[in-house]
Amino acid sequence: MSKFVAVHPVVPPAKMEDVGPVAKKAKAGLSTDAYWVKSWLMLNDSGEVTAIYCEWDGKDKETVKNALENTIPELPFSELSQMAEIQSEDFR
């Protein structure tokens, strides 16, 4: 499996309580070929969500793209890229 990051701009900003139902839909649409791992929510000064960065494991980019488009079409993404993760502890 490869790792991917999907960038979801949230315009207009959303309240934190609006995130839960969309996250449940994303979780319900998972398969062994495209799996949502976790997300980071970018907040404005009012605590509203302005962007979401989602980490996915997937067979390939097309499989993750299809999962996103079919599972949570109400949360479009502006970018989907393969990624790698490094930890600060790797550089001690």
Side-chain angles (χ1 to χ4, degrees), residues 9-10 12 15-16 21 23 29 31 34 36 39-40 43 47 53 63 68 70 72 75-76 82 86 88:
V10 180
K15 297 181 186 283
M16 285 294 291
S31 74
W36 171 48
S39 296
W40 297 266
L43 307 176
Y53 294 80
T63 304
L68 285 163
N70 294 327
I72 48 171
L75 186 62
Q82 192 167 359
I86 60 173
S88 63

Side-chain angles (χ1 to χ4, degrees), residues 3-22:
K3 292 204 167 287
F4 297 89
V5 63
V7 179
H8 304 274
V10 180
V11 180
K15 297 181 186 283
M16 285 294 291
E17 58 265 21
D18 296 334
V19 174
V22 177

Side-chain angles (χ1 to χ4, degrees), residues 30-87:
L30 301 179
S31 74
T32 56
D33 290 335
Y35 190 84
W36 171 48
V37 177
K38 61 185 167 187
S39 296
W40 297 266
L41 308 178
M42 303 299 110
L43 307 176
N44 64 16
D45 291 340
S46 299
E48 298 169 312
V49 180
T50 59
I52 304 173
Y53 294 80
C54 297
E55 180 183 332
W56 285 75
D57 287 347
K59 183 175 85 171
D60 55 39
K61 185 175 181 177
E62 192 64 25
T63 304
V64 174
K65 178 179 178 286
N66 289 337
L68 285 163
E69 291 175 341
N70 294 327
T71 305
I72 48 171
E74 67 273 26
L75 186 62
F77 55 94
S78 61
E79 187 174 346
L80 177 62
S81 300
Q82 192 167 359
M83 63 169 265
E85 182 178 352
I86 60 173
Q87 303 279 330

